[in-house]
Amino acid sequence: MSDEDGASEADELRGRVDYVLVDHWKDAYIADVQAIEALGLLHKGSRVAADKILFPGAPEYRRWMEANTRFRSKLVEAPLGLGSIGDAVLVSELL
């Protein structure tokens, strides 16, 4: 796929993305959400969910998103199974 193809696809999705799951390299969470916003993919009511917020953890992302006045965030506990360490997903809605 060329850069032009990617730009064309982003144009088609502008303002139409309802839900984004960020579940990859934790240090990239902030930059990736900023890029998604800069491309204009989200709309009022879109949700961004970030996985594994507590373990191994994404504390910088959590602080950034909870301080972000464009979003309302809620930490949702997500147990990993019997006897294992629990975790959480941060679900943030674009206001």
Side-chain angles (χ1 to χ4, degrees):
M1 176 186 297
S2 72
D3 286 344
E4 286 181 13
D5 291 337
S8 176
E9 288 182 20
D11 285 340
E12 290 178 25
L13 291 173
R14 196 169 315 277
R16 297 180 59 200
V17 176
D18 296 324
Y19 188 87
V20 175
L21 173 64
V22 288
D23 182 18
H24 57 297
W25 190 39
K26 308 306 174 224
D27 291 340
Y29 278 14
I30 294 172
D32 288 350
V33 171
Q34 288 173 330
I36 290 166
E37 282 190 279
L39 288 169
L41 301 180
L42 304 177
H43 58 83
K44 182 179 178 180
S46 292
R47 288 185 172 81
V48 178
D51 195 19
K52 298 181 183 87
I53 288 296
L54 302 178
F55 182 79
E60 290 176 12
Y61 174 81
R62 181 178 178 188
R63 280 191 298 273
W64 176 77
M65 189 55 95
E66 288 178 339
N68 190 329
T69 59
R70 294 181 313 277
F71 288 89
R72 177 178 50 231
S73 296
K74 180 179 180 180
L75 193 66
V76 180
E77 291 186 24
L80 299 174
L82 294 174
S84 64
I85 297 171
D87 203 351
V89 175
L90 186 66
V91 180
S92 305
E93 180 181 356
L94 184 63
L95 301 174

